[in-house]
Structures are given as structure tokens and as C-alpha cells.
Amino acid sequence: MTMRRGYADGPFGQVHYQAAPEGRPLVLLHQAIMQSAQFDAVFAPLIARGLRPVAIDMPGFGMSDAPPHEPTIADYASAVMPVLDALGIDDAVFAGHHTGALVATECALAHPERVTAVVLAGPMIITEDERQAGFDQLVSKERAFVAKPGGAHFPQIAAIREMLAEGTIGPDRISEYVIQAMQAYHRGAYHYGHNAAFTYRHEPRMCALRQPTLLLTNTGDMTHPYALAARALRPDFAWAEIAGGGIDICDQEPQAWADAIADFIDGLPPRP
């Protein structure tokens, strides 16, 4: 089964997506500064489990048009339902990774009738000091990022991604990560995702969730402590933990990541 590409008309222009043609719908929302291609390695194992992945480029990322202003997480969420409408999908399970987990939360609260369950892979339960550090150490650098003569900014991004991957991701895929980041830069949205994420207060919004929810984490991810905090906050949520990995867990352990989501969905009560 092959993923098909398409566009839907969203609130900020066209929204690009990839979708399988059949199966139980599963919306996949990527982390910043990536795009739907983040999930390339998990499409096949998800499809093999009877799911229909629908991966969306959030506005300003990948091939989706950028908002005319710095978006909020709610703004990103407003661009998701038009994709489901274009595909004729009434409801779906929503799974988000890092920034995508915040967008999945907001979609579930705004459209509870259409979001049947939620997977939060990288919730953001942080202190105010951690929030400020995110602005100071990450968002500010992304705001200041500029292209350099001779393409010197490309190896700069590659070096960061290689450091984060710790030798687990090959140079071809690292090169793709750089391309994904540069597409966001080209659209003027390079800092948009992390700015929205660190502005967002996930704790009260996560506490308001009423859908069945899975906290999916891996121990090598920088957000793993936040997942532990989320588990303490919502012990009623399902829990799945993968050993090791990092922010690139979808490439490092695609089968385990896909199976954790599929197992959770298989255990959900039958839909009416």
C-alpha cells in the first residue's frame, strides 16, 4: 500500500499531507522543525497493523503554506481538520510527536467528536525556568538563523542533527533532516514551531483531555522527564516506554514506535 500525497485548503493556504488509502485513520503530527516526512519509516509498520496514517505538514513546514504571523498551537490545530474533511474522514486517532503532541492535544479539545483517542509522544510538562531556557537557548537562535555564503549553514545544521542522533542515523537521512529544516527556513517559519511550543501551557490542556490517551516516550529523548511528569499528572493515561533512542525515534525504532501505537489502538473500546 502506497502513501498518496495531496493538498487541502486550510486557514493559512494549502496544507500538504500524505495518506494511506485505507485502514483505521491515524493522524500523525510532526515535531518542529521537521515535516510529515519525519514519519517515513513508520508508515509501513502502521499500515501492516491495519492503520491508515495521515501525516500532515503543519503550516510553514514541508510543502504547506506558512501563516502570515507567528502561529500559536491553536493556529496549527486549525489546519488539521480541513485535511480530514478533504479525505472524507469523520474521526481519527491523533498522534503527535513533540510540538505535534501539543497540536494533537489542542485538536482533541477543540473537536472531541472527531478525535477518538490521543497519543502524546513527547508531552511538554515543564517548569517556568525550563520554558524561559527554551526561549533563550533555542527560539532566539532560530530567530537569528540566516543563510551564509557558500552554504556554510548546511553543515551547521547537519552537525547539530548528528550530535542529537549520536551516531544512530546515517548521513543520507541526516541530509534529509537538513532539507526539512531548510524548507521551513525558506517559508519564513524556521522558529515558528518552537516559539509556539514554549508559549503553550500543556499542563492545563492535558488535564482537560477526556479521550483515551497514550503517553508514548523513549528513555533517550530529551522530553522523557516531561513524560514522567505527565504520567504523574495523569496516571489514568496509558503508558508505553521504548528504551534508548532520541528525538529521531521514528527512524531509530520504527517498529517499536508503530507497535506501541497500534497496540494502544487495538485495546480501545469498539467505536459506536
Side-chain angles (χ1 to χ4, degrees):
M1 192 183 299
T2 304
M3 299 290 289
R4 305 287 294 178
R5 297 183 181 276
Y7 285 92
D9 291 325
F12 308 113
Q14 290 188 303
V15 180
H16 173 258
Y17 62 85
Q18 301 183 65
E22 59 186 51
R24 182 169 182 177
L26 170 67
V27 173
L28 296 173
L29 300 167
H30 62 83
Q31 64 179 319
I33 305 172
M34 299 181 77
Q35 55 187 257
S36 62
Q38 172 190 340
F39 302 110
D40 284 350
V42 300
F43 291 146
L46 288 170
I47 291 169
R49 294 290 300 269
L51 297 173
R52 182 188 185 186
V54 177
I56 296 169
D57 288 350
M58 289 191 289
F61 298 96
M63 293 185 283
S64 291
D65 292 332
H69 53 74
E70 290 182 349
T72 64
I73 293 298
D75 287 331
Y76 284 134
S78 71
V80 177
M81 293 307 167
V83 174
L84 298 192
D85 293 340
L87 290 168
I89 296 173
D90 293 329
D91 55 55
V93 176
F94 275 55
H97 187 248
H98 286 212
T99 305
L102 312 185
V103 179
T105 300
E106 207 59 27
C107 287
L109 294 175
H111 302 279
E113 76 287 356
R114 303 192 71 176
V115 182
T116 58
V118 183
V119 178
L120 302 178
M124 198 169 179
I125 308 302
I126 59 176
T127 67
E128 289 307 305
D129 286 344
E130 289 170 325
R131 187 182 310 279
Q132 189 59 51
F135 283 116
D136 294 342
Q137 299 171 18
L138 181 59
V139 177
S140 63
K141 291 181 180 179
E142 291 176 350
R143 285 182 187 276
F145 184 86
V146 294
K148 297 179 181 178
H153 53 297
F154 291 108
Q156 174 186 341
I157 299 171
I160 293 172
R161 294 314 308 263
E162 287 174 342
M163 179 270 294
L164 291 170
E166 297 182 329
T168 62
I169 305 295
D172 287 345
R173 187 60 167 161
I174 291 290
S175 180
E176 290 182 44
Y177 294 167
V178 175
I179 292 170
Q180 292 184 42
M182 286 298 91
Q183 284 184 293
Y185 175 72
H186 173 69
R187 297 186 185 282
Y190 195 68
H191 72 280
Y192 279 7
H194 287 130
N195 182 70
F198 283 102
T199 302
Y200 187 75
R201 262 65 178 179
H202 200 190
E203 182 173 342
R205 304 301 281 166
M206 196 181 72
C207 285
L209 284 175
R210 294 298 175 260
Q211 292 93 331
T213 300
L214 169 67
L215 295 171
L216 174 56
T217 186
N218 54 288
T219 58
D221 193 326
M222 64 181 66
T223 67
H224 182 60
Y226 311 155
L228 294 173
R231 189 184 192 186
L233 191 65
R234 290 298 302 262
D236 55 312
F237 285 174
W239 175 264
E241 182 178 285
I242 300 169
I247 67 170
D248 302 314
I249 192 65
C250 292
D251 286 320
Q252 294 161 324
E253 296 288 348
Q255 189 67 57
W257 199 85
D259 282 344
I261 293 176
D263 289 346
F264 167 68
I265 294 174
D266 286 347
L268 293 173
R271 291 179 292 175

